Structures are given as C-alpha cells and as structure tokens.
C-alpha cells in the first residue's frame, strides 16, 4: 500500500473513532474491557464537546454587553455632562480594545487553548465594569446631588472611564474568540459545522437584546411619580461585573478542544499531499530525535516518522503544533485574496459598530427635545432589542441555511488543489452571495437614515435598526465561516483574529466623524433647547444635519466593500478560479 493510502486510512480511522460505538476484537486477544474502554472514551469525548458547546453559547449570550452602550450613553451626557466627543471617546476605547488585540488573543488561543482566555476575560470584565460603576456613582453624586461643577477637580476621571471600557472591550474580545474557536475546532469535521458555529455567534448577537430588556425591566430608576425611569447605570454595571466574572470562570473549567493533536496530524498530512510541506527543518528535528540514518540522506527522509505519529513526547508534540500553526499563518498572510476580504470586512463592520454605539444619541436627534429630557416616540432599549433580534435571526439563518444550500468541501483544513472535485450536481448558493446580499441590506438601512426619512418620524426608525442589525449579524456570522472553510480550522483563532483586527479602524473613524457632525450641529445658533430647557446648552443636537453626511458616507463604504468581496471571489486568482468551494 502506498504511503498516501496509509495516511488516508489513518485519517479515516481517526474520524471513525468519534462516530462509532462498537469495537472489533483484534486477533491478538484484546479483551472485552477494551471495548468498554473504547466506548467510554467515545462517550467522554462527545460529553466534553457538548459541554463546551453549551458553555460557549452561554458565554456568548453574556459577552455582547458592549452592544448596549447606547442604552446608557445619553446618561453620560445628561448626568456626567460629557460632550458627544467624550461619549464617543469612551465607545472608541472599547471598540479598539475589542478588535486590535484579537489577533494576539487568537494566536494565544490556538497555542495555549481557550480556557486561559476565558479566565482573562472574567478578570477584565470585573475590573472594567467595577471601575465604571464606582466612578459613575461618584461623579453622579458630585454633579447632581452636591452641585459640584464638572469643569474643575475631576479631570482625572475621564481617562479612568476610558480605561474601564478598554478593559471591557478586551474582555469581550477574549471571551468571544475563546467561545467561537472552541466550537470551530470541536465541530469542524461535521456536516453541520455552520450550525455549530452559529450557536455562539447567535448568542453573541442576542446578548444585546436580552441584556437591554433585562436592564430596562429590572434595573431602572424610579421617577418622583413612581413610574419607571431610565436604566440605573450603577446597578447595571455591577450586575454585568458579577455575571461576566461568573461565566468566565465557568468557561475556564469547561472549554476544551477534543483530539487537537489529531487535527494537527491531519493538517500535516494534507500539506504533504499538496506538496506544500517543503520545510526540511521539521524532518531534521524528527531525525535528530528518532532517526538512526545520516541526516539529509534519502533513506533518512524515507524513514522519518513525520506523518506516522512521531514526536510522541509532549515537548515534540507542542513543537510540531507550533510549527504547523506558524506555517498556516504564513500561508494565510501570503494569500492575495485574504487582503481584499479583510478590507471588505472592515468597510462593512465599521459602519455597523459606529451605528450601534451611537444609536441612543441618533434617536435623540429625530424628534424635538422635551423640557423633561430627550424623550421621543421611541427608546434606545427598544431599538437595541430590534437590532439584537434581527441580528440574531440573521445569524441563525446563516448557520442553518448555508449548511443546506451552500457548497460543502470535503475537508476541515485549508482548501488545496487536492480537494478539487467535479461540478456539484445539486443546486447551491455561495456563502459569498449571502454576504453580499446582507451587506446591501445594511447599506439600505444606512441610506434610509441618511436621507432623513426618519426625521420627525421616530416610529420609522425600526427600518434602520432592523436592516443594519440583520446585515451586521449575517456578516459577523459569515466571516468566520468563510475563514474556516477556505483556510481551515486548526489555525482559526489566529486567522480570524487577523481579519477582525481591522474593524477597529472603521469603528473609530466613523465614530469620530459622527461626533464631529453632531457637535457642529449642537454649536449652530438657534438650536433647540437641551434637557434643562436651556437654549445655550451645546451638548445636544437635533435635526437631519446632525447625522446625514455621516451615514451617506457609511452607506457608500459598504458598497465599496461589496466590490472588494466580489473581486476576491470572482477576480483573477480568486476563490472561484482556484476551485475553492465556498
């Protein structure tokens, strides 16, 4: 039998181990106890995978707390007297910390496992929300109870608030990547890998909805007449600190990747079959540790146990894993289609992030302010929920429908020429087509807002929240799917981390553009009165001019992103030309 046949048989045997529950007694007299042990091992693996999936989904259900920033952002203006630039500065600090470290955290997750990142997330969440709650309470009492001026004595407080939200953003990053990476690696072999990935991704999307509704229903202030007021920010922050600390610690003990070493072995086998495994340093290491022939001779290379389960001690297994993951990272960065894909992701997600961060103040610009505050025909909590529901539905749709109608490659590793198959006989719709459709849906919501169609008609704002939420959720569900299907699962956290580093730039840019337009509008003469009925209040803006140019720009960048994604798919040397099933 040829060596490649041996490897195929070995791979098939490893795959069968996870699915069969019987064991044929070998001729050397294996006892029935071996059968029981084998069955017990298979059950344990399934149990560990199931627990990891459930906990990953639970963590994701709690991790998206940054999506409800707009719920309390107006309170930063009215209670802490922050300007729109300062409010956006806090949001931008969180967004940068959410995206910029994700490649580093993904690298650590692939190499050290998801459990340490879950513990790191727990500690960062407790630090961030605990600090924010303490600082908010102190400033609120000083400004609104003691009558202290915000201009003097508390210059130090704003950097500390930004630091708190940097911790929150970094914690969100760590918890999300650990949850998604665990599911991607544990269920990469299955037919329903899309559904397995969709569960934590959907949980992340729905977290903003349930958290905002829970806060508005149970963590509210009481008005003098006894009715419900806005969210109690201090109690809300304390609740999130305790909740996220708890689920992060739970993840530390339960997030495990099953048979990760087999994943690495299979990746090496496929790399060798494709002819891409040409780094002799791996062979030389094998020869030094196990071979008896002279290094570099054909006999030594033939006898090197590289692909036959070599490097049995832990040190060599770790070395081999790092070697493979580093090689996968280099190949990922060298793929010319990765860059337009990553840039299109940046241009799509940036506007969505800026929208959800500023949703609360956008609503305030749609209706004339009342003397009791920026109340309108709708509320931030309602539209955070609409955004969350549509985002969740889109993520669930993507996870299930694409498993049924999108092309299905026969490997969980990077797609190489050896995986090219004949034309599929059944009707399929590419995942890229889904991504383009939902990106256009998001851009239509942004254009609807920019046109002024919701101005003085806040009841129409659901169109914007719904379209942007659906597009944002689908894009965030499809991007990791595309990364796993084209470039494999073994280095998923690193590869996806590299792609998702970029949206921090888009979120920051559009957040600043919106803040500049909003603040310029607030400084215009004859602008409406603020919450205190004071016409000189320059913190608040009302009217189409506060946001129109910003959201026209965002819609146009999403259209540009669609062109970049089309080029990566259909352009010269694109995925379709290379025979990649996507």
């Amino acid at each position: 039998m040829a060596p490649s046949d041996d490897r195929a048989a070995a791979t098939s045997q490893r795959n069968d181990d996870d699915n069969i529950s019987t064991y044929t007694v070998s001729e050397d007299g294996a006892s029935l106890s071996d059968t029981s042990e084998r069955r017990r091992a298979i059950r344990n693996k399934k149990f560990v995978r199931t627990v990891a999936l459930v906990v990953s989904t639970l963590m994701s259900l709690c991790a998206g707390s940054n999506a409800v920033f707009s719920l309390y952002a107006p309170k930063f203006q009215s209670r802490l007297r922050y300007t729109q630039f300062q409010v956006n500065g806090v949001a931008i600090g969180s967004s940068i910390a959410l995206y910029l470290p994700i490649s580093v955290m993904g690298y650590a997750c692939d190499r050290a496992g998801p459990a340490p990142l879950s513990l790191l997330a727990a500690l960062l969440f407790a630090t961030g929300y605990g600090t924010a709650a303490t600082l908010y309470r102190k400033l609120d009492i000083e400004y609104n109870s003691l009558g202290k001026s915000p201009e003097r004595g508390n210059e130090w407080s704003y950097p500390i608030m930004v630091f708190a939200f940097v911790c929150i953003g970094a914690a969100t990053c760590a918890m999300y990547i650990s949850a998604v990476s665990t599911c991607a690696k544990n269920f990469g072999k299955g037919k329903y890998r899309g559904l397995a990935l969709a569960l934590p991704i959907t949980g992340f999307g729905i977290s903003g909805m349930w958290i905002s509704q829970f806060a508005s229903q149970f963590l509210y202030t009481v008005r003098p007449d006894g009715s419900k007021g806005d969210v109690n920010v201090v109690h809300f922050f304390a609740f999130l600190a305790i909740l996220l600390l708890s689920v992060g610690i739970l993840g530390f003990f339960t997030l495990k990747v099953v048979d990760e070493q087999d994943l690495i072995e299979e990746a090496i086998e496929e790399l060798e079959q494709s002819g891409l495994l040409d780094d002799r340093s791996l062979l030389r290491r094998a020869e030094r540790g196990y071979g008896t022939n002279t290094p570099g001779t054909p006999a030594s290379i033939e006898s090197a146990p590289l692909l036959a389960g070599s490097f049995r001690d832990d040190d060599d297994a770790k070395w081999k894993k790092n070697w493979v993951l580093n090689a996968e990272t280099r190949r990922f960065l060298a793929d010319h289609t990765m860059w337009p894909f990553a840039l299109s992701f940046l241009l799509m997600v940036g506007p969505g992030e800026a929208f959800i961060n500023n949703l609360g103040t956008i609503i305030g610009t749609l209706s004339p302010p009342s003397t009791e505050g920026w109340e309108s025909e709708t509320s931030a909590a309602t539209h955070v929920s609409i955004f969350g529901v549509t985002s969740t539905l889109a993520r669930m749709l993507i996870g299930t429908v694409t498993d049924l109608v999108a092309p299905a490659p026969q490997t969980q590793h990077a797609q190489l020429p050896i995986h090219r198959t004949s034309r599929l006989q059944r009707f399929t719709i590419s995942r890229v087509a889904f991504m383009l459709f939902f990106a256009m849906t998001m851009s239509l919501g942004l254009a609807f807002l920019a046109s002024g169609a919701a101005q003085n008609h806040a009841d129409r704002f659901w169109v914007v929240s719904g379209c942007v939420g659906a597009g944002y959720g689908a894009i965030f569900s499809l991007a990791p799917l595309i990364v796993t299907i084209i470039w494999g699962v073994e280095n998923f956290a690193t590869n996806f981390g590299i792609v998702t580093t970029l949206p921090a730039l888009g979120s920051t840019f559009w957040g600043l553009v919106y803040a500049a337009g909003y603040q310029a509008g607030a400084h215009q003469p004859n602008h409406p009165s603020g919450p205190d009925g004071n016409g000189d209040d320059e913190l608040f803006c009302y009217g189409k001019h506060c946001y129109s140019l910003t959201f026209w720009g965002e819609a146009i960048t999403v259209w540009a992103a669609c062109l970049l994604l089309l080029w990566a798919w259909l352009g010269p040397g694109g995925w379709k030309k290379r025979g990649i099933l996507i």
Side-chain angles (χ1 to χ4, degrees):
M1 183 181 289
S4 61
D5 294 334
D6 291 335
R7 287 189 296 270
T11 301
S12 175
Q13 180 63 39
R14 277 195 298 270
N15 291 342
D16 290 343
D17 285 348
D18 290 330
N19 299 314
I20 63 173
S21 59
T22 60
Y23 178 70
T24 302
V25 179
S26 63
E27 295 180 358
D28 61 3
S31 64
L32 291 177
S33 63
D34 293 331
T35 305
S36 300
E37 288 295 327
R38 187 182 182 87
R39 288 174 175 167
R40 188 178 299 112
I42 293 172
R43 285 196 299 269
N44 287 342
K45 288 179 181 180
K46 289 181 178 179
F47 177 75
V48 170
R49 283 195 181 101
T50 302
V51 170
L53 177 63
V54 171
V55 174
S56 294
T57 304
L58 175 63
M59 290 170 59
S60 297
L61 275 168
C62 303
S65 60
N66 62 322
V68 301
F69 181 83
S70 56
L71 185 65
Y72 50 81
K75 304 293 269 183
F76 281 8
Q77 284 184 300
S78 61
R79 305 294 295 182
L80 305 189
R81 308 303 291 167
Y82 284 0
T83 66
Q84 184 62 42
F85 268 117
Q86 288 177 311
V87 173
N88 271 79
V90 174
I92 287 169
S94 177
S95 294
I96 289 177
L98 171 61
Y99 289 113
L100 282 187
I102 197 169
S103 57
V104 176
M105 289 190 179
Y107 182 93
C109 186
D110 281 331
R111 286 149 182 82
L117 258 68
S118 180
L119 181 61
L120 175 64
L123 298 176
L124 287 174
F125 270 128
T127 300
Y129 279 119
T131 301
T134 303
L135 184 60
Y136 184 97
R137 183 174 183 275
K138 177 182 183 301
L139 297 179
D140 189 26
I141 291 173
E142 289 184 359
Y143 297 161
N144 301 292
S145 298
L146 303 180
K148 187 175 178 180
S149 172
E151 280 79 23
R152 275 185 268 174
N154 284 322
E155 295 83 1
W156 53 269
S157 65
Y158 181 70
I160 293 179
M161 185 67 80
V162 173
F163 166 77
F165 277 83
V166 166
C167 290
I168 292 167
T172 305
C173 170
M175 189 167 283
Y176 180 75
I177 198 69
S178 62
V180 175
S181 178
T182 301
C183 295
K185 293 184 179 184
N186 276 337
F187 297 93
K189 294 179 184 178
K191 178 181 177 182
Y192 299 107
R193 68 174 108 190
L195 181 59
L197 262 181
L199 286 175
I201 292 173
T202 299
F204 190 78
I206 204 173
S207 59
M209 180 191 70
W210 84 261
I211 289 174
S212 64
Q213 288 301 313
F214 181 88
S216 61
Q217 295 299 320
F218 299 102
L219 302 174
Y220 55 86
T221 57
V222 179
R223 293 194 177 107
D225 62 0
S227 62
K228 286 183 181 180
D230 295 322
V231 63
N232 186 315
V233 178
V234 175
H235 291 175
F236 183 49
F237 286 169
F239 163 75
L240 290 175
I242 296 170
L243 173 70
L244 292 163
L245 176 65
S246 302
V247 297
I249 292 174
L250 177 64
F252 175 71
F253 290 105
T254 56
L255 293 189
K256 300 182 186 301
V257 177
V258 178
D259 291 336
E260 188 174 18
Q261 190 56 39
D262 288 347
L263 202 64
I264 298 300
E265 293 282 356
E266 292 168 15
I268 295 178
E269 291 166 5
E270 298 210 9
L271 285 172
E272 189 198 46
Q273 291 178 48
S274 69
L276 295 177
L277 188 61
D278 56 2
D279 193 326
R280 297 305 176 95
S281 64
L282 191 58
L283 290 171
R284 285 196 294 270
R285 180 179 174 93
E287 292 157 10
R288 284 198 302 271
Y290 301 95
T292 57
N293 296 319
T294 304
T297 64
S300 68
I301 294 175
E302 272 186 31
S303 63
L306 171 63
L307 301 178
S310 61
F311 306 150
R312 290 178 176 82
D313 61 79
D314 291 340
D315 180 62
D316 283 330
K318 281 184 182 178
W319 187 90
K320 182 167 62 171
K321 174 183 175 181
N322 289 334
W323 188 93
V324 171
L325 295 180
N326 290 338
E328 292 282 359
T329 302
R330 289 192 297 270
R331 196 161 59 83
F332 175 73
L333 293 173
D335 189 335
H336 73 278
T337 61
M338 184 278 288
W339 297 102
F341 171 69
L343 185 56
S344 68
F345 186 68
L346 153 69
L347 296 177
M348 290 177 186
V349 172
E353 287 280 336
F355 172 80
I356 190 61
N357 285 341
N358 294 288
L359 186 149
T361 55
I362 294 169
I363 290 174
T365 67
L366 301 179
S367 304
S370 68
T371 56
E372 295 182 1
W374 287 96
E375 299 177 0
S376 63
E377 303 170 35
T378 188
S379 69
T382 298
H383 288 280
V384 168
S385 297
I386 292 174
F387 183 95
V389 168
T390 53
S391 175
T392 299
L393 291 176
R395 293 171 199 242
M396 292 177 64
L397 177 71
I398 291 301
T400 53
V401 173
T402 56
D403 277 338
L404 299 174
V405 304
Q410 299 303 308
T411 178
Q412 62 179 328
H413 306 289
Q415 289 195 54
L416 304 167
I418 59 172
H419 299 130
R420 289 179 185 170
T421 59
S422 58
R423 282 280 178 202
L424 297 176
Q425 299 300 313
R426 66 184 181 92
F427 172 76
T428 61
I429 302 175
S430 171
R431 293 171 178 85
V432 180
F434 279 99
M435 193 165 180
L436 290 169
F437 172 79
F438 280 100
M440 291 302 298
T441 300
M442 182 168 71
S443 72
L444 291 177
L446 296 171
F448 182 88
L449 175 61
S451 69
Q455 189 61 43
N456 296 320
H457 296 282
D459 56 305
R460 301 175 184 173
F461 194 70
W462 67 269
V463 176
V464 185
S465 303
C467 289
V468 177
Y472 181 84
I475 290 164
F476 248 110
S477 185
L478 282 162
L481 265 177
I482 290 173
V483 170
T484 59
I485 290 170
I486 296 178
W487 294 286
V489 301
E490 59 273 5
N491 203 40
F492 164 76
T494 302
N495 294 345
F496 186 56
I498 292 170
V499 171
T500 49
T501 296
L502 297 176
L505 303 176
S507 175
T508 300
F509 174 78
W510 288 116
L512 292 173
V513 170
Y514 171 75
Y518 185 99
Q519 213 61 50
H523 282 81
Q524 287 186 1
N526 302 321
H527 67 282
S529 300
D532 299 325
N534 181 6
D536 297 327
D537 194 335
E538 296 182 347
L539 292 176
F540 300 93
C541 182
Y542 159 72
K544 177 183 172 182
H545 62 280
C546 303
Y547 58 80
S548 182
L549 288 178
T550 299
F551 288 100
W552 274 125
E554 291 184 7
I556 292 170
T557 61
V558 174
W559 297 335
C562 292
L563 294 177
L564 284 169
L565 185 59
L566 272 174
W567 188 85
W569 182 31
L570 303 176
W575 302 326
K576 189 170 185 178
K577 295 288 177 63
R578 285 153 53 183
I580 291 176
L581 298 177
I582 187 61

